[in-house]
Amino acid sequence: MLNKYSLQRFYKGWQIFIENPLGKTGVIILVVFMFMAIASFFVPLIGPMYDPMTGIDPDIRVSTGPSLTHWLGTDNVGRDLFAQLLEGAKVAFIVGLSAAFISIVIGTLVGMVAGYTGGLLDAFLMRTADIIMVLPSLVILLILASLFGQFNIWIIVFIIAIMRWPAVSRVIRSQTLSLKHRPFIEASRVAGASHLRIIFRHIMPNVLPLAFLYMTFRVTAAILVEAALSFLGFGDPSQVSWGMMLQWVWKSGHMFQAPYWLIPPGMCISLLTLAFYLLGRAMDEVLDPRLRKEGQA
Amino acid sequence: MTKPGYILVKLVEVAVIFFIILTALFFLFRLSPGDPMSKMVDPMLTPEDMAHLIEQMGLDRPLWEQYLIYVKNFLTGSFGFSFHYGEPVSHIIVDKLKWTILLFTTSTVLAAFAGIFLGKIAAWHKGSHLDNVMSISALVCYTLFIPWFALLLLWILGFKLGLFPLGGVLSPQLWVGNASLLVRILDVLHHLMLPLMTLFIINLGSYLLLMRSSMLSVLREDYIITARAKGLSEKVIRNKHAAQNAALPVITSVGLSLAFSINGGALTEQIFTWPGIGKELIFAVSNNDYPLAQACFLLIALVVLVANLIVDLLYAWLDPRITY
Amino acid sequence: MTLLSVKNLSIGYKTKKGLLKAVDNISFDLEKGLPLGFVGESGCGKTTIGMALMGLLPENAVILEGSIQFQGEDLVRLTEKQWRKVRGAKIAMIFQAAMNALNPVHRVDEQIKEAIITHQPDMSDADLSDRLNALFDLVDIPVARMKDYPHEYSGGMKQRVIIAMALACDPDLIIADEPTTALDVIVQDQILKEIRKVQQKIRTGLIFISHDIAVVASVCDRICVMYAGQIVETGTKKEVFTSPRHPYTLSLLGSYLSLDNLDDIVIPDMQEPPDLLSDIGSCRFADNCRVCSETCKKEEPGWVQISATHKAFCCEPQIIRGSHGKN
């Protein structure tokens, strides 16, 4: 599959992508956050005081502002806010990428099957998608949390993924429909290829770029929902995340006194969302030539 | 299909979807760990009251009968008794619903109008400074994390500058005093400002971006050249031929983003202690008040479905190409 | 009396790779109330001329030189505000219906009405509705369907409405750019008849643009053949058809003439026209020309006047005559 032609196409796509100021900004922000996420593995090594969850500065009992030992200050029990912020970056990536990945796997499979088979199965899958699509995922997570108790982070990821596949499947389905009657698919059907082979060998490579485009948008959604859930106090209690930090500053009554605590986590969530959004928009332009700069006849 | 026929089909669709959600919730309650009885009946009640409630909800009957009673109870509006308030749930939520609807509709409608208007201007001046400033601000608004933004507004406008009350819907002194209706309304509006501003700004960002890109693609359509060829003024072309067409997909997306808005609405209500359904749901979930949580959830689902229906009908009414 | 006189018009597009000269030094005249056809393959600049006559060139287009005299005004010098008084009122355009030329969310009569109201704001409602009825009558659409939306019309009806829209303000010049291209053959025929009928009835000037020389010939008595941004031959329909002088015209006719005429016409495999980004300085058709001589590859050809109405832009027009002169 990776011949010279597709490499060239990839290179060309990358060029359009990186020339785009939006895409460039997105990539830069993303790289910064990746460094933060990587750094989160090393910070606790400095000393037990810098463990984001359990590290407590023995000299500090109240929330303090930025200092040399604690760059962003500490929370009300003396934990280092910067260490928490780095840990939050890691969690955001894990949550965002894994939830988005699961949801595009489900969405792509459902979309391809629905589009390829058509008929009743198609109708059933798409109606299911419609129903899930109108449901507010945070509210669903809340009601589930009330019934099943606190979730750990992986169950949250999985539920978010389950809530987020429908939009992907719709797009993949319509793409599959348009591919279904292309000559190369017809030809392999005539040649006796099985349905599975046609779906995975011929349709999937053609819908995957689109699926990845959608993945960038899903990442954002997953990060936001997890953050909101943690913020409301229904997140994984054993995990530090940006949402959790906001929950702590809010619930401990420090939000009017500790801007050094209130501002960073929310800004990180917003910036990471922005980065993935910009990335998606720029990828959109690579995949859809109509959106490129006009006036170049 | 005729217009009433179309509306009927849509209504049936909404009813079916709601019924599916209702059923799913019933089974979720039975599937969850622990005794389902303890989820519907307040364990703090006296044995007689308990027995009465169990009887009323048919919790001692076989599953299928329980289900039928559950549906019947729902249709007659009895959701059981709240553990926390000790009152019928229906009394509590009806009171909350009006506050949610007030906040939700004003923010959505205002943001949609403003977003369509500003998106139109931005697209029309594509590439100008005005466009850049508007698009980038919209992008920032759109990606803001709602609770954080709400807390910032609360901190700056409410706490630091003291322009708005920090929460609630009515000042305490007005609960008891015999203030005039006008004073009460003004006070509610004063309380409404911060949550409204939060939701308005965030929705505005997404609608502005949508309208801008929709408008840009409409401006490439041939009928825009036709309009120019007729000698129409630029203003007529912009407002009548481009913006009207471009607004249609934005209206669809208002429908599609309702779920997102409801999430944001719940968070906003929680932060500003706005006594709506979303805040009530969060409260119920935190306090294991299952009957209340269930009712709030169903009501939110109903609000989403009805709002979706309204958007669908609005779209069908605005776009002549929709065949019923 | 001359209605329109285009002199030495050159139009370029600014592109990433440089200036693309889509129209190069074109001159022609149009008499009042007569049709004139432009024919050529896609990319030859014919649409650019049409858009220049409407003042609707895309943003990256520049008029490099030349003038467009129309009713005593040079259209090249008009401001946008002045243009708006011309467009639709004095010069109107018939677009291709298949190209979404009608706004899908407005009723058909409304779209025509606004063209009239824009230029005649004082018209009374009664006059306006009379005018609309007359227009729908003229293009043979039942008045009862006036209030429909465009998607409720067939392709042929949409095209008629677009014609009616162009006629709305009684323009002196109509530009029709490929008005029948996407229609099926029978409808195409009806629309062409319609255009011809209307043109003769209201005696308006018409510039008819198409890639199909047969279509052009069915409407216009005078034809300009274009190739790679230049007019290469112009003459009456009869002259162009029976004694074409430019090899390109001949190859265009080759794709049209009936089979028994084909014996003495050899159609070579055509190569792409030359790249219009660079200065060419020789005959642009040279690479495709079967009578091409050494001069053709070195020099720009000049105009050769064959009769009062017929001329060709070719270095060797006599040779063609020799090869095709039998009939």
Side-chain angles (χ1 to χ4, degrees):
Chain A
M1 253 160 59
L2 266 184
N3 52 27
K4 199 177 161 203
Y5 173 69
S6 63
L7 271 178
Q8 265 174 358
R9 211 171 54 166
F10 176 79
Y11 180 68
K12 219 176 144 195
W14 172 252
Q15 272 193 324
I16 298 171
F17 181 85
I18 207 69
E19 264 176 34
N20 182 320
L22 295 184
K24 212 187 284 177
T25 317
V27 169
I28 292 171
I29 302 177
L30 218 54
V31 167
V32 171
F33 279 117
M34 273 181 208
F35 274 114
M36 285 177 65
I38 293 167
S40 76
F41 289 100
F42 301 106
V43 168
L45 300 180
I46 303 172
M49 186 170 90
Y50 291 101
D51 187 289
M53 196 59 160
T54 58
I56 294 171
D57 190 327
D59 306 330
I60 294 174
R61 306 253 160 235
V62 289
S63 177
T64 56
S67 64
L68 269 179
T69 34
H70 302 289
W71 292 356
L72 283 180
T74 61
D75 70 2
N76 56 335
V77 290
R79 291 181 293 185
D80 186 79
L81 288 173
F82 190 61
Q84 290 185 348
L85 202 69
L86 296 182
E87 180 72 9
K90 183 176 84 184
V91 173
F93 271 109
I94 292 174
V95 167
L97 291 175
S98 46
F101 183 73
I102 299 170
S103 69
I104 67 149
V105 168
I106 302 174
T108 308
L109 284 177
V110 170
M112 286 193 308
V113 169
Y116 184 76
T117 52
L120 265 182
L121 183 62
D122 177 28
F124 171 74
L125 290 172
M126 285 305 110
R127 294 314 290 173
T128 313
D130 283 348
I131 294 177
I132 297 179
M133 200 138 61
V134 298
L135 294 175
S137 45
L138 181 65
V139 172
I140 298 278
L141 269 161
L142 283 175
I143 193 89
L144 290 176
S146 90
L147 288 174
F148 294 90
Q150 295 254 321
F151 292 127
N152 80 32
I153 195 91
W154 291 109
I155 294 181
I156 294 173
V157 163
F158 191 73
I159 297 173
I160 292 174
I162 293 281
M163 296 296 303
R164 290 294 169 166
W165 61 265
V168 186
S169 74
R170 281 228 157 263
V171 178
I172 299 295
R173 173 178 172 271
S174 60
Q175 182 82 353
T176 307
L177 281 179
S178 80
L179 283 169
K180 202 166 129 184
H181 296 293
R182 297 269 179 85
F184 71 99
I185 304 271
E186 301 272 7
S188 58
R189 195 176 304 145
V190 172
S194 70
H195 292 316
L196 279 181
R197 190 180 156 79
I198 293 174
I199 288 180
F200 286 103
R201 189 88 186 93
H202 297 290
I203 292 180
M204 198 162 81
N206 286 293
V207 299
L208 273 187
L210 209 59
F212 277 105
L213 167 67
Y214 266 76
M215 183 163 160
T216 61
F217 292 125
R218 297 302 97 179
V219 171
T220 319
I223 292 174
L224 287 177
V225 171
E226 191 278 332
L229 197 67
S230 301
F231 170 73
L232 290 175
F234 300 99
D236 185 340
S238 66
Q239 226 11 287
V240 175
S241 73
W242 291 333
M244 208 60 110
M245 291 175 71
L246 281 176
Q247 140 92 357
W248 288 329
V249 66
W250 183 43
K251 282 285 143 155
S252 66
H254 281 74
M255 62 178 213
F256 295 152
Q257 281 84 44
Y260 52 87
W261 187 359
L262 171 66
I263 290 173
M267 187 173 278
C268 284
I269 299 173
S270 304
L271 277 176
L272 190 57
T273 312
L274 180 71
F276 275 110
Y277 180 81
L278 292 176
L279 214 65
R281 280 290 286 266
M283 271 169 78
D284 222 358
E285 284 183 30
V286 175
L287 293 178
D288 186 354
R290 278 176 310 161
L291 293 175
R292 276 176 220 161
K293 275 185 223 138
E294 286 145 65
Q296 298 163 357
Chain B
M1 220 191 287
T2 57
K3 213 162 203 162
Y6 175 77
I7 296 173
L8 196 70
V9 166
K10 282 279 163 196
L11 275 174
V12 171
E13 219 174 83
V14 165
V16 169
I17 294 179
F18 187 75
F19 196 72
I20 293 172
I21 295 172
L22 192 70
T23 308
L25 194 64
F26 174 82
F27 286 105
L28 270 178
F29 264 77
R30 268 66 192 174
L31 276 174
S32 64
D35 180 11
M37 201 93 84
S38 70
K39 299 227 158 98
M40 295 318 295
V41 180
D42 191 346
M44 312 295 270
L45 285 177
T46 60
E48 298 91 75
D49 284 348
M50 250 191 207
H52 177 71
L53 261 183
I54 290 173
E55 166 67 29
Q56 199 204 341
M57 289 194 252
L59 293 177
D60 48 354
R61 311 270 182 87
L63 197 63
W64 65 271
E65 250 182 276
Q66 282 186 31
Y67 176 66
L68 289 182
I69 292 170
Y70 165 81
V71 172
K72 193 195 109 217
N73 278 345
F74 173 77
L75 291 177
T76 54
S78 52
F79 298 93
F81 278 81
S82 156
F83 295 0
H84 177 81
Y85 298 96
E87 274 183 62
V89 167
S90 48
H91 291 188
I92 302 163
I93 53 177
V94 167
D95 185 48
K96 310 288 176 196
L97 187 61
K98 64 170 187 272
W99 297 118
T100 294
I101 289 180
L102 173 65
L103 175 60
F104 184 67
T105 41
T106 44
S107 63
T108 307
V109 171
L110 287 179
F113 274 106
I116 286 173
F117 178 75
L118 294 175
K120 175 182 87 179
I121 308 279
W124 192 254
H125 299 283
K126 182 177 182 254
S128 68
H129 279 300
L130 183 71
D131 173 36
N132 288 338
V133 169
M134 284 211 270
S135 309
I136 292 173
S137 335
L139 198 57
V140 170
C141 291
Y142 172 63
T143 51
L144 281 173
F145 182 50
I146 298 175
W148 180 63
F149 182 56
L151 288 176
L152 284 185
L153 286 183
L154 192 61
W155 176 47
I156 297 167
L157 299 181
F159 182 77
K160 287 254 168 195
L161 302 176
L163 295 176
F164 301 101
L166 297 179
V169 70
L170 198 63
S171 306
Q173 66 271 23
L174 293 180
W175 284 110
V176 280
N178 45 0
S180 69
L181 187 65
L182 183 69
V183 172
R184 280 165 187 266
I185 289 177
L186 286 178
D187 192 53
V188 168
L189 289 181
H190 194 208
H191 281 80
L192 180 66
M193 284 319 285
L194 279 182
L196 180 65
M197 218 185 280
T198 309
L199 292 177
F200 172 78
I201 287 176
I202 293 200
N203 287 330
L204 175 67
S206 78
Y207 295 147
L208 194 158
L209 291 175
L210 270 163
M211 180 63 183
R212 181 179 176 273
S213 74
S214 170
M215 180 94 171
L216 285 178
S217 76
V218 166
L219 285 175
R220 283 191 290 265
E221 292 279 356
D222 299 309
Y223 51 77
I224 298 298
I225 299 180
T226 314
R228 288 225 159 82
K230 281 191 255 185
L232 302 184
S233 72
E234 292 294 291
K235 207 172 144 198
V236 172
I237 296 171
R238 186 187 71 190
N239 294 343
K240 184 173 169 187
H241 287 274
Q244 277 192 23
N245 297 51
L248 289 173
V250 180
I251 290 167
T252 315
S253 83
V254 170
L256 288 176
S257 64
L258 276 176
F260 175 77
S261 312
I262 287 278
N263 285 345
L267 290 161
T268 309
E269 286 182 6
Q270 175 72 357
I271 289 166
F272 296 104
T273 55
W274 182 259
I277 291 289
K279 176 172 170 290
E280 206 56 35
L281 173 73
I282 293 166
F283 173 81
V285 169
S286 313
N287 291 287
N288 293 327
D289 192 341
Y290 300 106
L292 185 59
Q294 173 185 313
C296 287
F297 176 79
L298 286 174
L299 212 58
I300 289 175
L302 197 62
V303 167
V304 175
L305 290 177
V306 168
N308 247 309
L309 179 73
I310 293 172
V311 169
D312 271 358
L313 296 180
L314 188 67
Y315 190 88
W317 179 60
L318 287 175
D319 189 345
R321 282 165 298 183
I322 298 282
T323 43
Y324 299 114
Chain C
M1 197 186 132
T2 309
L3 173 69
L4 175 78
S5 173
V6 174
K7 290 247 171 339
N8 307 98
L9 185 66
S10 295
I11 301 169
Y13 289 104
K14 286 183 221 148
T15 70
K16 240 182 176 177
K17 293 176 206 146
L19 190 74
L20 187 146
K21 227 171 176 185
V23 169
D24 195 355
N25 199 13
I26 275 185
S27 303
F28 64 89
D29 289 332
L30 174 64
E31 294 300 306
K32 207 173 171 192
L34 287 181
L36 171 65
F38 277 88
V39 66
E41 61 201 69
S42 61
C44 72
K46 54 193 197 304
T47 298
T48 304
I49 294 178
M51 287 312 204
L53 291 175
M54 289 298 292
L56 287 177
L57 286 168
E59 271 173 35
N60 63 333
V62 266
I63 295 182
L64 301 167
E65 56 169 332
S67 66
I68 304 173
Q69 289 292 331
F70 175 78
Q71 296 184 334
E73 271 181 306
D74 187 358
L75 297 184
V76 172
R77 295 173 195 285
L78 291 193
T79 62
E80 182 55 32
K81 210 173 160 198
Q82 291 169 316
W83 259 120
R84 241 176 269 145
K85 294 214 159 60
V86 175
R87 271 185 221 135
K90 294 177 184 164
I91 306 179
M93 192 153 194
I94 299 176
F95 292 94
Q96 215 181 78
M99 283 174 59
N100 224 351
L102 293 170
N103 191 324
V105 307
H106 294 296
R107 291 178 198 279
V108 170
D109 64 332
E110 170 59 31
Q111 299 193 43
I112 299 183
K113 222 187 265 176
E114 67 176 359
I116 304 174
I117 293 172
T118 308
H119 299 291
Q120 284 141 291
D122 307 328
M123 196 182 250
S124 72
D125 284 353
D127 288 349
L128 192 59
S129 99
D130 284 351
R131 178 83 189 128
L132 279 176
N133 287 339
L135 281 169
F136 274 78
D137 249 12
L138 188 64
V139 295
D140 298 315
I141 297 181
V143 173
R145 305 226 23 206
M146 219 154 77
K147 293 222 175 291
D148 285 3
Y149 285 101
H151 71 275
E152 295 167 296
Y153 275 18
S154 68
M157 283 177 77
K158 275 190 219 164
Q159 193 62 67
R160 285 164 200 269
V161 166
I162 291 167
I163 295 171
M165 196 185 280
L167 298 172
C169 297
D170 243 331
D172 301 304
L173 173 62
I174 292 178
I175 296 152
D177 190 356
E178 304 266 10
T180 61
T181 300
L183 300 171
D184 67 63
V185 185
I186 295 169
V187 181
Q188 173 173 336
D189 207 47
Q190 290 169 350
I191 296 292
L192 288 174
K193 283 205 183 99
E194 195 80 57
I195 293 177
R196 198 173 166 74
K197 182 190 93 185
V198 167
Q199 191 272 328
Q200 284 173 350
K201 198 162 163 187
I202 64 173
R203 286 270 146 215
T204 160
L206 174 70
I207 287 191
F208 191 99
I209 298 169
S210 175
H211 65 281
D212 186 339
I213 195 166
V215 165
V216 171
S218 72
V219 178
C220 303
D221 305 316
R222 276 186 58 216
I223 294 174
C224 294
V225 178
M226 287 191 69
Y227 184 78
Q230 295 176 322
I231 295 178
V232 291
E233 180 161 6
T234 168
T236 64
K237 178 162 72 178
K238 191 166 174 248
E239 286 164 339
V240 172
F241 267 72
T242 55
S243 52
R245 291 310 178 93
H246 196 281
Y248 177 64
T249 314
L250 193 64
S251 67
L252 268 185
L253 287 169
S255 45
Y256 166 68
L257 289 178
S258 55
L259 280 174
D260 48 290
N261 277 352
L262 277 179
D263 309 344
D264 44 34
I265 302 170
V266 183
I267 303 156
D269 286 341
M270 295 283 277
Q271 289 182 19
E272 289 284 305
D275 185 0
L276 297 181
L277 284 165
S278 50
D279 267 337
I280 295 157
S282 63
C283 176
R284 296 174 179 203
F285 194 61
D287 289 344
N288 284 315
C289 184
R290 65 193 182 87
V291 293
C292 174
S293 68
E294 281 308 306
T295 21
C296 298
K297 292 192 170 170
K298 281 187 210 122
E299 293 169 22
E300 278 259 324
W303 281 106
V304 181
Q305 198 80 34
I306 295 124
S307 74
T309 50
H310 190 193
K311 53 184 182 170
F313 195 61
C314 182
C315 309
E316 311 277 352
Q318 307 82 344
I319 301 176
I320 307 291
R321 187 180 176 74
S323 72
H324 196 62
K326 286 179 218 164
N327 41 9

